[in-house]
């Protein structure tokens, strides 16, 4: 209403606002009542000064105040609601909630869930059912849920980490509408689809047909996503995507993390108005970039805003083939050793150990490696030569190093024509002293590499001079002869180092320039990730090997344990995440394969929702009824109006006159009393009525202090659980948070609406206000005084229950009954001063096991401890379990499982302490145990009495 999140339960009442002008006119005509003055002789009237004048009509400001009062009455009667729930379509049947639950909805999931909860609450008031259809996990059946079931389902619903296929959900929608012709549809849309999926709104409109339809799509931030990470030679870049419906500029930050979650760097990005994508550039040294395992958009909690990187993104993969046998005889002097060390910082090196030259080349080509290095490989077989030439033409980079075999061979897989033999220091075509490195071509990839002055060459293979030699020379010696040549062949590149890869011909492999030169040569090839993409469906064609999921992402982009539904992927998988293959890391730690929510080529598009019924925004919070604050304001204004009328009517002067006579009489009486005078002719002595002698007065009760009164009022205003304040701040905070968490659980699962828990001082506070007191045992704590123990004993005998928790189930030996435990020794000291009945572990048929939930044990943070209660009397023959006198509630419960630690939650509802078991099931059972304990204390053994109904009826008949 008026652009505000405001609605009215009965908007027709607002028509009464039209009558406010008439009320203004009437109020202006009717003046306030004139001030009355008692008649007196004319002489006295002349002496009365005129203190105030009676206005002829009501002052305008008083009229405005009363109009405001009337307006508040009308507004309150109309039932104003701030942030009202979604107004569902008018229909009598159930409400079908179609919810987009893919990762695009994750960043604003709480707003979407709040809107859905509002729809359920509105349907509950109208007595309508709910059919819940999330697109991420469409239900197998489309049955109508009760509102309570729908609330629980929404509470546990979470977004999935992939872009779901909406087709199954739409099929469920069609099935639900066919079964319930009078149903209405509310579509909670994320407004986003991948390119090619913009036909979804038309399909929804076709299925819904004539059914009432409301669509929620605005009011939340548009989702952002990451795709197409590229670890280039000088920086790592990633595309930041958004749909095109948001034309406003927007900024953000992309953060880079390593495998341990430590931040390595970040980069800012910003969208121009109307832009659908932009780029974030992370400038870090390549050694640090190689450690990046995760890119994420800060403050954008979704799986689409995360890009996981494995080794395919970190560095190129290079195949290394050596033609010399020195690799096996002297591996530390072999060319492959120098090459591996030089390539290690930026590339993965694969060697073909145990394979021949042709076999190794064929294997690398089959593996689609982007770069292959041949060290001193001479003439190749024709078939291998032809296949290698085709691989180069298709985009591969072949790097060759000279050596005796290459110098004496004849091969055209070199960028320039070579002379047979080589140029040797001291030979016929030699120089008299080693040559130094002359420089790098400005047109080649080494143009920005500093020229080292310590590189010397003793031998090289020479190139035949021709017209193309200068253009293909990338590096030269000081005499002008080429050291490195290269040329483009098709889509690939052919590079030749005219020296060996070891130190036999030069010391280039020992120079830092050797690493920089190889880095730039390898960068000429595409990454293996790009080679493996192949449309997003590539598998390992050579082995068919698969890897199992290791760490997966949830819909909010956080890592989670693997799930049974996640399937293994092929080693070379490059597809988009799906329900079978959620985003995350797959495989062993040394060979992780990353699967992301989006492919590099994916783009987001906005859905056109204009044809999907009534469009409404999402609600940011829960509805707030404004009638209470309006009524409070109304009462306050009424008091102000009454005070104004009182003053205008002369009330202050009349009040002053009336109080004068009683004040004078009081002064006279006081004066007579002080002077010992008489009244009404009585004698001067004090007159006393004849009375009987006073009886012995009963001892007066000690009056309550204001603090005690406040404590009693707070404790009795609602049912509350209590805990003993031990003096240990950490223990007391855990007790408070634990009972608060249990109180919240009871409010959600039971009809009990308990107040916030209270801490009690056993020596001072009244204990009878509480049905249950939780007492955590602090090891080594001083024994309470006898007076304090007497108060506790009286509390238990008057029907209260004390839960003693030693919290040491994980530290005591099984079967030792807590012997040797400091907490258990402290508990024994306390119990020695109390009148404790005989105890036993909770029997399987005890009322406590079925007071609300059916339970077999009572876990807390720990599960190994026993729970002790008052022992039941022995069963008579033929009875399964004897009935007990009274309400059957044990006055004492003893456990060591740290119940409050399991119940403890923070202000945001998240658990504060870990459980001994990693799964959430143990915490759920701990809350259920707490619910049974509270219900047992509050209701007694009524469930046990149901078992004895036949026996009781039989006895009544006798």
């Amino acid at each position: 209403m008026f652009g505000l999140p405001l609605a009215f339960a009965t908007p027709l009442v607002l028509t009464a606002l039209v009558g406010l002008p008439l009320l203004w006119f009437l109020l202006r005509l009717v003046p306030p009542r004139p001030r009355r003055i008692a008649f007196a002789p004319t002489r006295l009237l002349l002496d009365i000064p005129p203190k105030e004048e009676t206005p002829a009509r009501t002052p305008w400001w008083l009229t405005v105040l009363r109009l405001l009062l009337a307006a508040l009455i009308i507004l309150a009667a109309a039932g104003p609601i701030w942030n009202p729930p979604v107004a569902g379509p008018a229909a009598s049947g159930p409400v079908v909630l179609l919810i987009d639950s893919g990762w695009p909805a994750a960043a604003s999931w709480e707003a979407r869930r709040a809107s859905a909860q509002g729809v359920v609450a509105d349907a509950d008031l109208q007595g309508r059912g709910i059919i819940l259809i999330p697109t991420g996990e469409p239900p197998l059946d489309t049955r109508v849920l009760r509102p309570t079931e729908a609330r629980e389902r929404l509470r546990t619903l979470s977004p999935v980490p992939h872009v779901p296929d909406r087709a199954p959900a739409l099929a469920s929608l069609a099935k639900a509408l066919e079964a319930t012709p009078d149903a209405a549809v509310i579509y909670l849309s994320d407004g986003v689809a991948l390119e090619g999926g913009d036909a979804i709104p038309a399909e929804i409109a076709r299925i819904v047909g004539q059914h009432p339809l409301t669509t929620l799509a605005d009011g939340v931030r548009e989702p952002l996503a990451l795709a197409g990470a590229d670890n280039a030679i000088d920086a790592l870049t990633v595309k930041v995507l958004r749909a095109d419906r948001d034309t406003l500029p927007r900024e953000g930050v992309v953060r880079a993390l390593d495998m341990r979650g430590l931040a390595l760097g970040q980069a800012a990005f910003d969208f121009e108005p109307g832009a659908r994508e932009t780029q974030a550039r992370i400038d870090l040294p390549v050694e640090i970039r190689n450690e990046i395992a995760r890119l994420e958009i800060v403050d954008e909690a979704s799986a689409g805003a995360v890009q996981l990187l494995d080794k395919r993104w970190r560095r190129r993969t290079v195949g290394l083939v050596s033609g010399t046998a020195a690799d096996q005889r002297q591996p530390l002097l072999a060319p492959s050793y120098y090459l591996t060390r030089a390539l290690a910082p930026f590339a993965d090196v694969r060697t073909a150990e145990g394979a021949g030259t042709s076999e190794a080349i064929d294997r690398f080509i089959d593996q689609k490696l982007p770069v292959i290095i041949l060290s001193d490989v001479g003439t190749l077989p024709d078939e291998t030569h032809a296949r290698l030439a085709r691989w180069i033409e298709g985009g591969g980079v072949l790097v060759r190093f000279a050596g005796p075999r290459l110098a004496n061979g004849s091969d055209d897989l070199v960028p320039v024509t070579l002379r047979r033999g080589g140029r040797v220091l001291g030979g016929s075509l030699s120089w008299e002293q080693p040559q130094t490195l002359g420089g790098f071509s400005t047109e080649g990839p080494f143009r920005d590499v500093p020229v080292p002055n310590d590189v010397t060459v003793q031998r090289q293979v020479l190139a035949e001079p021709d017209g193309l030699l200068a253009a293909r020379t990338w590096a030269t010696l000081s005499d002008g002869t080429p050291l490195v040549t290269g040329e483009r062949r098709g889509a690939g590149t052919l590079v030749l180092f005219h020296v060996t890869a070891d130190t036999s011909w030069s010391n280039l492999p020992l120079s830092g320039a050797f690493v920089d030169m190889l880095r730039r040569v390898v960068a000429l090839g595409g990454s293996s990730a790009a080679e493996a993409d192949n449309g997003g469906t590539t598998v390992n064609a050579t082995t068919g090997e698969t890897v199992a999921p290791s760490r997966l992402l949830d819909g909010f982009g956080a890592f989670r344990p693997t799930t049974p539904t996640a399937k293994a992927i092929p080693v070379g998988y490059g597809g988009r995440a799906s329900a079978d293959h959620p985003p995350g890391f797959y495989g062993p730690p040394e060979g992780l394969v990353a699967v992301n929510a989006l492919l590099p080529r994916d783009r987001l598009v906005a859905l056109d929702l204009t044809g999907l019924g009534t469009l409404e925004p999402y609600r940011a919070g829960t509805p707030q009824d404004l009638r209470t604050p309006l009524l409070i304001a109304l009462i306050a204004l009424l008091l102000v109006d009454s005070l104004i009328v009182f003053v205008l009517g002369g009330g202050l002067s009349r009040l002053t006159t009336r109080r004068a006579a009683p004040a004078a009489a009081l002064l006279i009486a006081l004066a007579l009393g002080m002077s010992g005078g008489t009244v009404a002719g009585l004698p001067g002595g004090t007159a006393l009525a004849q009375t009987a002698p006073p009886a012995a007065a009963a001892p007066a009760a000690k009056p309550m202090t204001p603090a005690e009164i406040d404590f009693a009022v707070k404790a009795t205003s609602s049912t509350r659980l209590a805990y003993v304040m031990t003096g240990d701040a950490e223990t007391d905070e855990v007790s408070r948070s634990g009972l608060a968490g249990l109180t919240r659980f009871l409010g959600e699962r039971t009809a009990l609406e308990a107040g916030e828990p209270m801490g009690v001082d056993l020596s001072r506070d009244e204990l009878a206000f509480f049905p249950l007191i939780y007492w955590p045992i602090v090891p080594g704590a001083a024994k309470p005084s006898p007076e304090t123990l007497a108060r506790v004993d009286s509390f238990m005998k008057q029907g209260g229950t004390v839960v003693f928790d030693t919290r040491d189930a994980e530290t005591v030996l099984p079967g030792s009954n807590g012997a040797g435990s400091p907490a258990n020794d402290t508990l024994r000291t306390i119990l020695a001063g109390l009148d404790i009945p005989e105890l036993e572990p909770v029997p399987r048929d005890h009322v406590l096991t079925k007071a609300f939930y059916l339970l077999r044990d009572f876990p807390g943070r720990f599960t190994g401890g026993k729970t002790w209660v008052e022992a039941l009397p022995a069963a008579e023959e033929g009875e399964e379990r004897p009935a007990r006198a009274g309400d059957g509630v044990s006055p004492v419960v003893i456990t060591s499982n740290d119940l409050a630690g399991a119940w403890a939650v923070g202000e945001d509802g998240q658990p504060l302490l870990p459980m001994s078991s990693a799964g959430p099931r143990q915490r759920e059972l701990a809350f259920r145990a707490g619910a049974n304990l509270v219900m047992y204390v509050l209701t007694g053994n009524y469930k046990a009495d149901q078992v004895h109904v036949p026996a009781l009826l039989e006895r009544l008949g006798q």
Side-chain angles (χ1 to χ4, degrees):
M1 179 177 181
F2 306 115
L4 298 175
L6 180 65
F8 294 90
T10 53
L12 290 179
V13 178
L14 296 177
T15 57
L17 294 173
V18 180
L20 290 181
L22 178 61
L23 183 60
W24 168 277
F25 179 74
L26 293 176
L27 290 176
R28 294 290 289 171
L29 286 180
V30 180
R33 189 176 65 175
R35 181 168 63 91
R36 291 186 178 184
I37 299 177
F39 175 76
T42 306
R43 183 176 60 82
L44 297 178
L45 291 176
L46 296 176
D47 295 336
I48 299 177
K51 295 183 178 179
E52 57 183 81
E53 297 179 354
T54 301
R57 59 180 61 196
T58 304
W60 68 267
W61 47 268
L62 183 59
T63 303
V64 172
L65 176 63
R66 291 174 176 174
L67 286 178
L68 180 59
L69 284 171
L72 288 178
I73 293 174
I74 296 172
L75 291 176
I81 300 175
W82 184 260
N83 196 34
V86 178
S92 58
V95 177
V96 181
L97 266 178
L98 178 63
I99 304 177
D100 278 339
S101 58
W103 66 256
S108 54
W109 186 251
E110 290 306 319
R112 300 173 191 273
R113 179 152 48 191
S115 298
Q117 294 282 15
V119 172
V120 173
D122 187 60
D124 193 6
L125 292 176
Q126 301 178 23
R128 302 167 68 181
I130 300 292
I131 300 177
L132 191 59
I133 305 178
T135 59
E137 42 184 88
L140 298 178
D141 61 335
T142 54
R143 64 185 183 91
V144 179
L145 303 177
R146 296 191 301 272
T148 54
E149 295 177 312
R151 289 191 187 96
E152 182 64 20
R153 181 73 179 89
L154 285 173
R155 189 182 67 83
T156 59
L157 184 65
S158 297
V160 296
H162 56 273
V163 179
D165 181 9
R166 292 183 172 95
L170 296 185
S172 299
L173 174 63
K175 180 179 177 182
L177 295 180
E178 182 180 356
T180 54
D182 56 346
V185 180
I186 297 181
Y187 176 33
L188 277 66
S189 174
D190 57 27
V192 175
L194 297 180
E195 285 185 336
D198 48 3
I200 293 298
E203 181 65 15
I204 294 177
R206 184 191 65 80
I207 294 174
V208 173
Q210 299 301 319
H211 291 268
L213 173 62
T214 299
T215 301
L216 276 68
D218 295 320
V220 294
R221 287 200 314 171
E222 185 183 30
L224 300 180
L226 295 179
D230 182 21
N231 193 0
I233 188 171
D234 53 350
L236 188 147
T237 60
V238 63
K239 292 183 176 64
V240 186
L241 309 177
R242 69 173 179 178
D244 57 3
R245 62 188 175 95
D246 190 350
T247 60
L248 300 177
R250 186 170 175 184
E251 299 177 348
V253 175
V254 174
R255 182 166 50 203
L257 308 173
D258 65 5
M259 189 61 71
R260 296 171 296 175
L262 300 178
L264 300 180
Q266 63 182 29
F269 66 86
D270 61 276
F271 284 94
E272 297 294 334
R276 293 176 51 193
E277 69 176 78
T278 185
Q279 189 178 78
R281 177 187 176 92
I282 300 177
D283 293 306
L284 291 172
V286 65
E287 293 79 9
I288 299 179
R289 281 188 277 124
N290 287 341
E291 298 299 324
I292 296 176
R294 175 187 173 110
L295 299 173
E296 63 181 16
I297 301 177
V298 178
D299 297 331
E300 187 76 15
S302 74
V306 175
Q307 187 83 175
L308 300 178
L309 309 180
D310 56 26
K311 290 185 178 180
R312 297 177 297 178
W313 276 266
R314 298 177 190 175
R315 58 190 76 183
R316 271 70 173 177
T317 304
V318 178
L320 179 57
V321 180
S322 178
T324 176
D327 288 332
Q328 290 77 32
R329 295 196 307 269
Q330 295 177 317
L332 298 182
L333 301 178
S336 59
Y337 173 78
Y338 293 95
L339 289 171
T340 301
R341 295 294 298 271
L343 293 168
F346 54 89
D348 282 333
V349 180
R350 297 184 185 177
T351 59
E353 297 180 359
T357 301
S358 299
E359 181 183 355
I361 293 174
D362 291 339
R363 183 184 302 175
F364 292 153
I365 293 176
D366 290 338
Q367 293 174 356
K368 300 184 182 300
L369 299 190
V371 181
I372 296 177
I373 296 179
L374 303 183
S375 175
D376 193 21
V377 175
T379 304
L380 296 172
D382 294 339
E383 183 178 353
T384 303
H385 179 281
R387 191 175 185 195
L388 193 56
R390 290 194 300 271
W391 174 80
I392 297 173
E393 294 284 342
V397 175
L398 178 63
V399 183
R400 303 193 66 173
F401 282 84
R405 291 175 176 79
L406 181 64
N408 297 319
S410 58
D411 194 342
D412 64 347
L413 288 180
V414 289
V416 295
T417 306
L418 301 179
R419 292 184 181 182
R420 294 184 59 84
R423 191 180 187 187
V424 186
L425 181 64
S428 59
L429 296 177
S430 69
W431 47 80
E432 294 181 355
Q433 59 182 2
Q435 293 293 307
T436 59
L437 187 59
F440 299 120
S441 171
T442 57
E443 303 298 327
F446 310 144
R447 56 185 175 273
D448 58 342
V449 177
V451 179
N453 55 11
D454 58 345
V455 173
T456 59
V457 177
Q458 292 85 22
R459 183 175 179 179
Q460 68 176 142
V461 291
L462 292 175
E464 290 287 352
D466 57 28
L468 299 176
L469 179 59
R472 296 177 181 178
T473 300
W474 292 354
T476 60
L477 296 178
S478 56
D479 64 352
T481 55
L483 177 64
V484 181
T485 56
E487 71 164 336
R488 296 286 295 180
R489 289 197 179 179
T493 306
L494 185 58
V495 183
L496 172 63
F497 283 73
H498 290 242
V499 293
T500 59
D502 58 12
T503 58
S504 59
W505 286 19
S506 72
N507 65 352
L508 177 63
L510 301 178
S511 172
F514 187 64
V515 178
D516 293 335
M517 295 167 72
L518 285 179
R519 178 185 288 116
R520 283 154 178 76
V521 170
V522 171
L524 298 175
S527 67
S528 57
E531 295 292 337
D533 184 14
N534 195 21
T537 58
T538 300
V539 299
N540 192 321
T542 58
T543 64
E545 181 183 356
T546 60
V547 289
S550 175
R551 299 175 66 191
L552 301 178
L553 294 179
D554 61 13
F556 300 103
F559 281 112
R560 60 168 179 173
T562 60
T563 59
T565 57
K567 299 179 181 179
I569 63 171
V571 172
Y573 185 80
R576 186 186 303 113
S578 63
D580 292 336
H581 306 309
F585 286 116
Y586 291 71
E590 66 276 5
L592 293 176
V593 178
V595 175
N596 289 300
L598 294 176
L599 294 177
R601 65 173 183 274
D602 285 337
R603 296 296 180 270
L604 301 180
V605 296
L607 296 178
D608 183 7
L609 305 174
T610 54
L612 294 183
T614 304
L615 294 179
E616 290 198 16
Y618 283 100
R619 306 300 192 253
T622 56
Q624 301 292 332
D625 193 341
L626 298 182
R627 282 177 290 189
T628 298
L630 284 180
L631 290 176
I632 294 175
L634 178 63
I635 293 173
L637 291 178
L638 282 174
L639 293 176
V640 172
D641 181 80
S642 300
L643 182 60
I644 293 174
V645 171
F646 181 75
V647 173
L648 292 179
L652 288 178
S653 60
R654 290 196 302 272
L655 182 63
T656 304
T657 303
R658 291 175 182 175
R659 292 178 59 184
L666 180 61
L667 290 175
I668 294 172
L670 289 175
L672 290 174
M674 296 176 62
S675 62
T678 61
V679 179
L682 291 177
T686 303
L688 296 176
Q690 185 177 358
T691 59
K702 180 182 178 181
M704 298 178 65
T705 65
E708 292 174 339
I709 295 176
D710 293 341
F711 181 89
V713 171
K714 182 178 180 181
T716 56
S717 60
S718 62
T719 302
R720 299 178 186 271
L721 307 179
Y723 62 93
V724 174
M725 293 188 294
T726 62
D728 183 79
E730 183 178 356
T731 301
D732 293 347
E733 177 59 24
V734 171
S735 300
R736 186 199 65 78
S737 302
L739 293 186
L742 179 59
T743 300
R744 182 183 300 180
F745 180 87
L746 292 171
E748 294 175 351
R749 302 289 183 90
T750 72
L752 176 62
E753 296 181 357
E756 288 296 319
M758 296 178 59
V760 296
D761 185 343
L762 296 177
S763 62
R764 184 186 70 239
D765 296 331
E766 177 58 53
L767 307 181
F769 300 141
F770 308 100
L772 180 146
I773 297 178
Y774 177 78
W775 190 341
I777 303 301
V778 178
K783 180 180 178 180
S785 65
E787 293 78 9
T788 301
L789 293 178
R791 290 165 57 87
V792 176
D793 196 66
S794 175
F795 168 74
M796 293 191 296
K797 290 181 178 180
Q798 292 174 2
T801 298
V802 179
V803 179
F804 296 94
D805 193 343
T806 60
R807 306 173 295 161
D808 58 356
E810 289 290 298
T811 60
V812 299
L813 297 176
S816 64
N817 290 330
S821 167
N824 195 65
D825 294 342
T826 303
L827 176 62
R828 292 179 186 273
T829 303
I830 295 173
L831 296 183
L834 299 174
D835 185 12
I836 300 298
E838 181 183 357
L839 303 177
E840 66 175 352
V842 178
R844 295 181 62 86
D845 57 349
H846 196 277
V847 179
L848 190 54
T849 64
K850 49 196 169 188
F852 194 79
Y853 293 101
L854 297 178
L855 300 175
R856 291 181 295 180
D857 50 14
F858 302 86
R861 285 185 63 209
F862 315 123
T863 58
K866 294 182 179 179
T867 301
W868 299 77
V869 295
E870 181 181 358
L872 296 174
E876 298 179 4
E877 185 176 359
E879 285 187 333
E880 293 184 358
R881 183 185 52 79
R884 296 179 52 191
D887 62 359
V889 176
S890 174
V892 59
V893 177
I894 300 176
T895 182
S896 60
N897 286 333
D898 192 5
L899 298 178
W903 303 333
V905 296
E907 295 297 332
D908 56 356
Q910 297 299 316
L912 296 180
L913 298 176
M915 308 292 285
S916 60
S917 173
R921 180 64 176 172
Q922 181 180 339
R923 195 179 301 276
E924 173 68 17
L925 291 177
F927 275 110
R928 293 186 179 187
N932 274 28
L933 183 60
V934 174
M935 292 301 167
Y936 169 64
V937 170
L938 294 177
T939 62
N941 63 351
Y942 81 100
K943 285 200 173 182
D945 294 340
Q946 296 174 9
V947 178
H948 295 281
V949 167
L952 295 174
L953 292 177
E954 182 180 355
R955 292 178 184 178
L956 290 174
Q958 293 175 356

